[in-house]
Amino acid sequence: MNKHLYEIPAVIVIFYDLDWNDPLWSEKMIECASRVQSMRAALEDRHTRITVVLIQNTLSLPAGEDLLASERAIALCSSCELNAQSLFVLPHGDHLQGYAVRLENAFYEFCQNIYHNEAKHVKSHKEHLNKNTHQYLYVRHQFKMGMLYELKQDVHTAHKHYTHAYNNLLEIRIVDTNALEIRTVAGFLNYKLCRLMFALNLPRDAISQFKAHIDRFKNRMGFQELTFEHYAWLSKQYSVFGDIFDEAVKLGLPAVQTQHPGIYYQQAAQYAIMRKKSCQELCSSVIAYPHPDPLEGANQLEFYGQRPWRPGKVTAEPPDPQVESNGIHAIQFLEKQINHSNIIIALYGLAISQYKTYRCPRTRRHLVLQMADEYYNSKDYGKALTLFTHMLWDFRGERWWEILSQILDKALKCAYLTANVQDYVLLALEVLCSLVTTSLDEKRRVYENLNRILKKQIPYGDPKLPQDVLQNAIILWQPVFSSQPLNFSLDMANIITCVETKARFTKSTYEVDQNVTVEVYIRSTCPFPLTFTKVSVTVNTPEYSSEFAVTNWENVSLNFHSFEVKRFVIEFMADANDINKEIQIGAINILLGNQAECCLDLKYTALPDANDNHVELLHFKYTGNNKVDFANIRPLSSATIVPRDSKLNVECIHPQPALLGEWYEIKINITNDEQFSIKELKIELGLVEETADVEFSLKPAGQPQKLPLALGRTDYLDKKGKYSTNVFLVAHKLGKYQIQIKITYTLNSDKPVFSIKTENIVLPVVQPFEVTTKYLSMLMCEIEAFHVEEEFAVMNYVKCLSPWPIVIENTSFKFISPVKSVEENVTSQLTGKMFNEEEVGAELNLALCEKSLLQNINIGQYTIKWKRQNGYSTTTQVTMYGLTCEWMPVGLKMVAPAHGFVRTPMVLSYCLQNRSRQIIQLDVSVEASEAFMFSGYKQLNLSVSDNTEDVGIQQDQLRALIERSVPTHLYVMPQVKGEPVMQTVYAPKKMTVVN
């Protein structure tokens, strides 16, 4: 392998700078040939292919066109003894990458041909071999062909030859003298097979091959004195297969929890441990390296797996006993110098990372513990302590007390051997817990060591530890207690110790003038007495933290016996600045020891244990009536400071509901019903839900003010004193609005107390009235469209919707072009009228439209000035949208008296108007009626002169014009007495009569 991989190349490429038209062509050709010859001589008739690449600065012409290049290429090949296929040209131009790719493909093809020929050459030796006498050569030749085809990148053929080599190897009889060589070669072949199977996407076959390989060689140990060598080989097999598997996974092979590289790294670590144990058993008696050196020349052996003291011996002949013994002693001596722990820890590290990737947390924890044990065995106690403490967090959560107890025991030893005071006392408090299954004698020793540390004395070591280890630990402990007093702050959150605490507020809310009460419960599960120096509680607010010490007013001592529970009470006055804020129990602090020597500040959280998921099961445990039921105490870690219950009497006077758009007045009357006078009284008003639809002001129709609005203040108000103020608001949208009145003051007592009084007003806003409009013709009939320059009537109806009487102070109608009023003096017909709920008022306005439009016309603004009875005036504007306006070429108007008299003449005048730009001829006829006698034209033809626009006219339009312009009935009164007077009702205009 070394020869083909590192010494003999398949192709040698000589790059030479030479152009076809170089002036020094002959000299350079000789120099190039010299280089080729020297390289050929160095190869010593090897089958390596030599090629020459000419680097040229000018681009060559196409083949056959450049005669000079052809002649000189033939000459160069003849001089260098090369065939034409081994000469290449690399122009240094724009397409350099393309030329490089072509060269690469050509060289790749040369390499494949070389390795193929080499394999055929090796295969030709097979017919000269005898399987009975050349078993090793059969394996060697198949391995060599497999490697050559692998170099050729023919993976399938390489896999076939490696399989033949492996099967041939299995046919060799294994004895102690050749066991190492057979194992070594088998390892190489298995590696090649598994790697190629993964490359061929056959992972199941690779795993099966590896398992079968291990099963075949697992029990082929060889010399019993070198058992560790066999375990090292097994460990290496698993480790290498794990590397191959991991590489395949990185290339896209999917893996699962039951089959991934971590399993093989874990097994490699197990065999490495067996190797270490075997070395400790077999190599303990070897103290010197034998002379002469039996392993001399071990690195220059021709074949893998052979012993240096008997190279080349492949038969089962008995070796020289003395030489064999010296060789075994030399290997044992070298094995003894190896740091096996580093190998084991590295393999555990690889396995842990794999188990973490494939989400196997419990197996990962198990391996971390084994890694910690290995660190402990290698006397690296610091790293072992780090791993043990990390694993304690996981096993505390799962509450596996037996496992937790064993981990605590090892972690405590590591803390002692590293003189880590803080970790030692923390672990000691946990070991003394009743849930830990450590023996009572061991707990007593830990308890005594804890007391010795509190007195700044060196603790006793575990008598099971070796004396040299204990002596080194004592040396480390001595400088720890020679310094200043020791003070440690230990975070006890999520740590199960022999001291348990619970704290709670007695209720969830406290008024600002009440004492806040905190109950603290402490239970000791230590089998031995414990005495504390101080117990305090830290209370947190959003701005600051305060620490309150337990007062001894109940004469409760801080001495605790086993499973004793004591209750402590802390009281303090709430701060006025914390009103409407939450206060929390931040921590419970217990001091153990004294500050002059060694003091432990144990900090417990007041929050319930997140791991305590089944507290309700503790209800089934019997507890005597005279004991505090510690398990069933439910912590209450937060409370809210609320304002004191104010005695102010607040009266809000307002006639609800409010009307949309009016200035609504709210009167606020305050009476002091407190037992003391008050000072610094402030009144603020605002909305519970802020909105821009409501505006507030201190005056009606005044400038809107920002919220919160200060309504008033007074520096002093006597007992039973009164204070009044008012506020105005206007709502621009219907709905319900919640108004909050906040009154703040200070009680003028012995201890001034800040107080807050809040009143909420729910104010509904309703619509005061509803405006509807009808559009009528001059005959007082509803119309569907306006017509240009035809008068129409706008009838506005105002319907009162308010539960309170409404007074209409004035109304007005402002028309917008192209609509205009036809009345000169317009007076509101609703002025001064009062309307109750559901009453309706109407008024009429006359107008005409001057322009035709196809969409509804905005005819103007209808303004109503109104107020509720005894209220404030409010102006409401309503935008009036009319109808479309159509163009009519002819206008018709009838002028008639308001009424007639029986047998009395009266004049009916019909006025026709042409609005087009051409003369219109009309046939006019008047139908007779039995109730009337006619005088005048009943049928005539008219020509009406042009006026404005040129638009056609249809009969349907004329019929509609007559229906909306000419009344169908006329009131006739009885005949008057005396001489009737005929009034002039029409001034004749000039008309053209067409005969």
Side-chain angles (χ1 to χ4, degrees), residues 822-859:
V822 297
E823 300 176 273
E824 294 182 358
N825 297 321
V826 180
T827 303
S828 175
Q829 300 153 20
L830 300 178
T831 300
K833 300 296 188 297
M834 179 183 293
F835 297 91
N836 294 316
E837 190 175 6
E838 297 297 329
E839 290 183 348
V840 180
E843 63 177 339
L844 187 70
N845 294 278
L846 299 179
L848 63 80
C849 186
E850 298 177 328
K851 184 180 179 181
S852 63
L853 290 171
L854 297 178
Q855 58 186 3
N856 291 345
I857 303 172
N858 180 2
I859 65 173

Side-chain angles (χ1 to χ4, degrees), residues 777-779 790 891-894 960-967:
S777 67
M778 298 307 293
L779 300 180
E790 285 189 16
L892 174 61
K893 184 176 182 182
M894 175 186 172
L961 175 64
I962 293 172
E963 290 177 354
R964 67 175 177 267
S965 302
V966 179

